[in-house]
Amino acid sequence: MFKTLLKNTLLLNISAFLMVLILEILSVWAIKDRFDTDYLFYMHSVNFTVFIMGTIWINHFILIPYVFDKKRYLLYALLLILIVFLGAYLKGYAKNGWYGVSKMFFFLIYTTGSGMAAYFVRRNIIFRRENEEKEKLQKEMELNYLKEQVNPHFLFNSLNSIYALSRQQSPETPEVVMQLSELMRYQLESSKKETVLLKEELEFIENYLLLEEKRLSKRCTVEFLIEGNLAGLKISPMLLITFVENAIKHGAQSTNEPSSIDISVIVKNATLYFCVKNSKPSLIPDSKRKGFGLENVKRRLQLLYPNAHALEIKDSDKIYLVNLSVDLAISN
């Protein structure tokens, strides 16, 4: 990293030196005949370029990092004016006296100011690029952490379902274990990807609902409706399942009363409209642990689709409703 930065700095300053040298040669080309030889003409241009770039380099590599960046602005201004004045005096007084000094002073102010402008623009671009890289890295780390949380959360819920069937000594328990293994296989494979096909994600949800229906028996009716063209659309994996799990856990699973879960998926113009509505029991048992699934998925939505989603949650006495819309065009 340091070698690359040093290399880029050297190349940039060599390029700036050559550009100033070319401009200096062109600017005095009309009076080339005043010099005895071509060698003296070119050496004059080289010396003047070294003088100009030397003043700029003193400012860039000494004054700015050791004075300006430490917020000693008054001292920086005084030192810069002093250096420019000394340079103007050494270069201009011998030829044209104080008139030459003043002329050279303003010329150096102009060139040094132009160099400062280019320097700060470049530094701002570098800082902004570094900040963007840091934010991207932080975002990736946070997303990976959130995705790692999804796996055990889903597994614990599924194991609870199998545990309930095993206590009932249900003959469907082995089949449910196989279904769970397929669900976990999909989850493990999808967690390695940034996006998956929306069709596959909805098939995963449908299979999960079939598994839960066997455990809940006939006391819960589940409706799962899909409308629209899903072809080619992709979505972040395991993003929707949390809302389904929440509907089951805090609805049908928490009561022996008849309950219902209605899930609708509508796709229009690459926008997904996902709605989950579940009935709530008349008596809600106190929960010893507060689930983090919804907070997790809210955070993932903010990171993955910051300006491309809308989430509305309504919690009434009898109904819990989730309306989510996501513009999937940005991930396709």
Side-chain angles (χ1 to χ4, degrees):
M1 180 67 179
F2 177 76
K3 290 182 178 179
T4 302
L5 182 61
L6 180 61
K7 180 181 178 181
N8 291 338
T9 302
L10 287 173
L11 289 174
L12 182 64
N13 282 276
I14 291 172
S15 300
F17 182 89
L18 293 175
M19 183 178 68
V20 173
L21 176 60
I22 292 171
L23 291 175
E24 175 60 22
I25 291 173
L26 293 176
S27 66
V28 295
W29 190 268
I31 58 172
K32 182 182 178 183
D33 294 339
R34 295 182 184 181
F35 296 89
D36 296 334
T37 63
D38 288 344
Y39 173 77
L40 292 176
F41 167 72
Y42 288 113
M43 284 306 300
H44 168 80
S45 299
V46 171
N47 289 335
F48 199 77
T49 302
V50 170
F51 173 73
I52 294 173
M53 293 303 299
T55 307
I56 293 174
W57 287 334
I58 290 173
N59 183 38
H60 285 187
F61 298 112
I62 298 177
L63 295 184
I64 290 178
Y66 295 105
V67 183
F68 182 88
D69 288 344
K70 292 183 179 180
K71 299 182 179 180
R72 299 175 180 175
Y73 302 127
L74 180 59
L75 179 60
Y76 168 78
L78 292 174
L79 290 174
L80 180 60
I81 292 174
L82 178 61
I83 289 172
V84 171
F85 177 79
L86 287 175
Y89 181 81
L90 293 173
K91 201 70 176 176
Y93 187 80
K95 291 183 178 180
N96 299 306
W98 287 108
Y99 173 75
V101 172
S102 62
K103 185 177 180 180
M104 183 59 63
F105 178 83
F106 288 111
F107 177 76
L108 287 177
I109 287 290
Y110 170 76
T111 55
T112 305
S114 300
M116 282 181 65
Y119 175 84
F120 281 115
V121 167
R122 178 174 177 269
R123 192 166 74 164
N124 183 59
I125 292 173
I126 293 174
F127 284 168
R128 186 168 58 185
R129 187 181 303 159
E130 289 177 350
N131 288 334
E132 288 176 353
E133 290 177 356
K134 288 178 182 178
E135 290 176 1
K136 182 180 179 181
L137 179 61
Q138 181 64 31
K139 181 178 177 180
E140 289 176 353
M141 291 174 62
E142 188 170 355
L143 282 174
N144 288 335
Y145 173 73
L146 292 172
K147 286 171 73 174
E148 287 172 1
Q149 284 186 330
V150 170
N151 289 337
H153 187 262
F154 173 78
L155 178 60
F156 292 153
N157 287 344
S158 301
L159 288 176
N160 285 335
S161 300
I162 294 176
Y163 173 71
L165 285 174
S166 64
R167 288 196 62 182
Q168 299 169 11
Q169 296 183 347
S170 171
E172 294 182 329
T173 302
E175 181 183 349
V176 171
V177 171
M178 290 300 298
Q179 287 180 331
L180 175 59
S181 68
E182 291 298 321
L183 292 174
M184 291 304 299
R185 180 178 291 109
Y186 170 79
Q187 189 189 44
L188 290 173
E189 292 176 353
S190 65
S191 65
K192 301 174 185 177
K193 306 174 183 177
E194 292 185 3
T195 58
V196 294
L197 288 173
L198 177 61
K199 181 181 178 181
E200 295 178 353
E201 190 72 5
L202 295 178
E203 287 176 353
F204 168 78
I205 292 175
E206 185 176 16
N207 291 331
Y208 175 73
L209 288 172
L210 291 173
L211 184 150
E212 287 295 326
E213 276 187 309
K214 292 179 180 179
R215 179 176 65 86
L216 297 172
S217 187
K218 296 181 180 180
R219 60 188 174 90
C220 179
T221 58
V222 179
E223 295 290 337
F224 189 37
L225 174 67
I226 301 176
E227 292 183 5
N229 184 12
L230 310 180
L233 293 179
K234 294 184 178 181
I235 191 171
S236 179
M238 305 300 293
L239 192 65
L240 305 177
I241 188 65
T242 301
F243 298 111
V244 179
E245 288 180 298
N246 189 69
I248 293 173
K249 182 178 180 181
H250 300 290
Q253 186 175 310
S254 60
T255 180
N256 290 322
E257 302 173 6
S259 58
S260 64
I261 298 174
D262 294 323
I263 302 172
S264 67
V265 178
I266 301 174
V267 176
K268 291 182 180 179
N269 300 323
T271 298
L272 168 68
Y273 298 93
F274 185 72
C275 177
V276 180
K277 181 172 71 173
N278 65 274
S279 59
K280 292 175 62 178
S282 54
L283 295 175
I284 302 176
D286 294 332
S287 178
K288 296 181 180 179
R289 294 178 57 188
K290 185 179 179 180
F292 53 80
L294 280 179
E295 295 303 318
N296 187 321
V297 75
K298 287 179 183 178
R299 183 59 182 154
R300 288 184 68 198
L301 283 167
Q302 291 173 0
L303 291 169
L304 293 166
Y305 306 96
N307 300 310
H309 84 279
L311 176 62
E312 180 186 18
I313 298 178
K314 294 182 179 179
D315 189 2
S316 62
D317 293 336
K318 296 183 179 181
I319 297 294
Y320 192 89
L321 177 66
V322 174
N323 276 313
L324 171 67
S325 64
V326 183
D327 184 1
L328 299 180
I330 66 173
S331 59
N332 290 273

